[in-house]
Structure formats: structure tokens, C-alpha cells
Amino acid sequence: MARKRGIMSEQLKEEIAKELGFYDVVEREGWGGIKARDAGNMVKRAIEMAERGVSEGKGSS
């Protein structure tokens, strides 16, 4: 079975993990080592960033 390709770039995931303070776990154990709560917070942060980008984009026209 083929793996589904992720939506977030590796760079964005790393940036958010550093911001949220669990990048050390990613370095030691990989993405599978993070807690479900951390993964959820990472997704929440990415959504906030995307929403902010969309709202800023609409105001510039």
C-alpha cells in the first residue's frame, strides 16, 4: 500500500515543533515519538497560520 504524502512540508513541521518545544523528541525518536497532544497542537498551529495567511491575503487587494 502506498503511503499518503503529507500536506505540511518537513520544514514547516520542524519550525512548528521547535516553536511548541518538542523538536528534541523529533530529533531523538522521529515523528512517531511525539505525543498525540503535541501532534494535535502542531495541526492547530498550522491551521492558525493558514487562516492568518488567508485573512491577510484578502486585505491586500
Side-chain angles (χ1 to χ4, degrees):
M1 178 187 267
R3 264 186 88 116
K4 188 175 178 181
R5 187 167 175 239
I7 295 173
M8 285 195 282
S9 71
E10 203 60 28
Q11 181 180 0
L12 178 59
K13 290 193 296 188
E14 290 174 4
E15 176 184 324
I16 294 172
K18 288 174 185 174
E19 181 180 320
L20 296 176
F22 60 86
Y23 186 68
D24 58 324
V25 175
V26 175
E27 287 185 308
R28 279 194 320 270
E29 304 175 32
W31 290 107
I34 66 172
K35 296 176 183 175
R37 175 177 285 177
D38 290 334
N41 287 336
M42 189 169 75
V43 171
K44 182 179 176 181
R45 180 70 180 112
I47 291 170
E48 290 169 354
M49 292 168 75
E51 287 175 342
R52 191 174 329 116
V54 168
S55 67
E56 289 174 1
K58 287 182 178 179
S60 64
S61 35

